[in-house]
Amino acid sequence: MTLDEDLEEAAGAVVTDGTVHPGVRRARAWLSRVTEPGTVDFWRFVDDVGPVDAVRQLRSGRAPERIRSLAGARAAQDETLADLRRAERCDARLVIPEDDEWPALPLHALTVAVADEPDDHRRQSERTRAPVPPLALWVRGPARLDELADRSVAVVGSRASTAYGEHVAAELGHQLGERGWTVISGGAFGIDAAAHRGALAAGGPTIAVLACGVDRPYPAGHGALLHRIAEEGLLVSEWPPGAAPHRHRFLVRNRLIAGLTRGTVVVEAAARSGALATARRAKRLSRPVMVVPGPVTSALSVGCHELLREAELGAVLVDGAAHVLEEVGRLGADLADVPERPSGPRDGLSDLAGRVLDACPVRVGVSPERLASIAGCEVLDVLRVLPALELADLVQWTGTGWRLTPPPEEPPRAGR
Amino acid sequence: MTLDEDLEEAAGAVVTDGTVHPGVRRARAWLSRVTEPGTVDFWRFVDDVGPVDAVRQLRSGRAPERIRSLAGARAAQDETLADLRRAERCDARLVIPEDDEWPALPLHALTVAVADEPDDHRRQSERTRAPVPPLALWVRGPARLDELADRSVAVVGSRASTAYGEHVAAELGHQLGERGWTVISGGAFGIDAAAHRGALAAGGPTIAVLACGVDRPYPAGHGALLHRIAEEGLLVSEWPPGAAPHRHRFLVRNRLIAGLTRGTVVVEAAARSGALATARRAKRLSRPVMVVPGPVTSALSVGCHELLREAELGAVLVDGAAHVLEEVGRLGADLADVPERPSGPRDGLSDLAGRVLDACPVRVGVSPERLASIAGCEVLDVLRVLPALELADLVQWTGTGWRLTPPPEEPPRAGR
């Protein structure tokens, strides 16, 4: 079936059982290759018209001029079947926002942040810094992406690390892994690798977010490590199989490391390190920035100390997993409108949070979209308050949707 | 001449030329031995009735019961002449608040803080934590105490330091010394000694504030170091010559290290180190607390990292002298009542600061007491705003009093 035929069928299909039409996945695969990710306008276009119509408009030349110029000559090509086959060959798959597996909850921070970008593309953030959600994610490995991302922490730092930094990163990865938290990093030499290895050694989940295809071990020296992560955790990339690790892609990729996690820890970073960029991206997404200090005599700690000196950043010094969990375990600020004398978990909830809570069913979980329609608010608003409600243990994710957290079972009463 | 005769003469003496009657100094010498320093009520009693009358009331039994109980049996003794002779033999002297050399400006923070202590002595801070100004200071060395304390920074830390901590402390002492800043510390092993040595190596001024007599090298292993400080800088103590370094005296002493300086730097400190107490004392005196981080794997940096994690403390991470001077060079917050668009140095001054500034004479310097009577405010208020006015270069200390800073000389105009 040609791409265009498949899209036409997908556009006309009426899906009721929650499955995703293969044409939708093919559309997202095509979008993941037709332009570099991280462009505000391109994401907005797809968000507005949907993936299937976005592809059809681009292929027929009906898309707006600005969007067509972003796609360029690639709009005429179609490598979707080859890409999907190539993924399948290495046990990878394309996870898309239409899937249950999509990590909607962590990524909602990007959706919220991209709304602040101006309309005029000349005034929008550069692609290497713009907070744009991914259009799709190529995922390699046995675990479910949404489940692993749910309780995850980014551990990042310099490639040219010292023995000290590697020791601390490995220890941190190990301690987080032991506690069932997912360590997310970039798979690079140095701190990234030490953090992944620490997590693997603890039998904990770990995700490497790559700036190249998930079938392409980069750096080459990390073939064995990345292979192991693919077997026990996940390799994730916005770029299709075979994509090369171009320099600028690392910067674009960093927003996903910050965006998928509940907070970012910088272990060792020189003065102008890429890890600092990831930390600032976490800050922009209102996620805690945590920093491991080091000797002031070490050039590899200069960047860390810079972060700790930036008062506006509000970075917190951490010396291990206990400190990290203190930060990422905190309630979101969205939960309450300055609560006064809260005496129960529902007291102090904002009006919005209360409405979303009221919208949650008792037994079968429902989607954020459904919650929004019941609560009478935007999906974005629902996504804003859900994390805090979850952390307050008021709602829970069933694997397919949100519901109220069941009350604890009454212990049987002892007779008097 | 007996003490009582000397006091009687001092009480009746009319001093007009600014010199201090020897009986006043003898009274302060007596007070420095009759009770342990740091007691709120004892300091308030001396402040209220003056040193001469304080001694006479104590010796005649007319002092309030509470004050007499603080002095105890020692009130009957008099070792003042022996103490003053003993000081003289090691080139030391007793500097008292009535002297020009008294570091009134730095110590004013203690005077301000002690005013907050409650009247009921059972609710006052413990002596090891109370912010009480010293009654007198035994000073050994050639330099003037007020001049050295004017631009000074405390560098403190653990005795059981590592090579890393000592390196950093010595480097910091050296850099501060090179820039003409006085390094003040406690003369102890480890970080203290490294900071003193760094300052001495740079030919910079340094002060060791001791918890024993200034004639008594303690620790014994620091005989040579303390001797050198006495020759090139100053040894300072609240305790009279021969006093032993009792354990609790170190804690009482720490308030002077914090109080004499514009800010305190902690270089290495274990979890419950005395250096942390000094840092918290600096904070209570509204002086910047600065902290040098270290490897998170080092037990000697645990205390430092604790300080940096205490949000309320507002401690700033520093990696060297440049960072330190950024903090201690700042304008005091007392200067302005939220200035709006200041266009000249006088704009944005609080009403109080403006009145004190107006009270300053153009040529001959006058005392804070005189400024207070002209400005129609308390001496405490004058002491509160003077540091900020000085930092703004609006007033200057002539060596004998305060006056307006003379305008810069007009550069000769070049002919057209």
Side-chain angles (χ1 to χ4, degrees), chain A residues 79-95:
Chain A
E79 298 181 42
T80 49
L81 291 181
D83 282 342
L84 289 165
R85 257 200 309 273
R86 201 161 164 178
E88 212 178 328
R89 271 204 302 275
C90 72
D91 280 321
R93 60 197 179 276
L94 184 65
V95 177

Side-chain angles (χ1 to χ4, degrees), chain A residues 198-215:
Chain A
L200 290 169
T206 190
I207 298 178
V209 184
L210 305 178
C212 58
V214 292
D215 58 336

Side-chain angles (χ1 to χ4, degrees), chain B residues 74-133:
Chain B
R74 284 194 190 173
Q77 301 164 9
D78 171 30
E79 298 183 41
T80 49
L81 292 181
D83 282 342
L84 289 164
R85 257 200 310 272
R86 201 161 163 178
E88 212 179 326
R89 271 203 302 275
C90 72
D91 280 322
R93 59 196 179 277
L94 183 66
V95 176
I96 59 177
E98 291 76 8
D99 289 326
D100 283 346
E101 192 185 345
W102 185 254
L105 201 56
L107 290 179
H108 86 91
L110 284 167
T111 313
V112 170
V114 77
D116 288 338
E117 288 288 325
D119 287 337
D120 181 350
H121 71 87
R122 287 160 305 188
R123 293 177 45 237
Q124 290 166 2
S125 305
E126 271 183 67
R127 211 166 55 74
T128 49
R129 284 201 306 269
V132 180

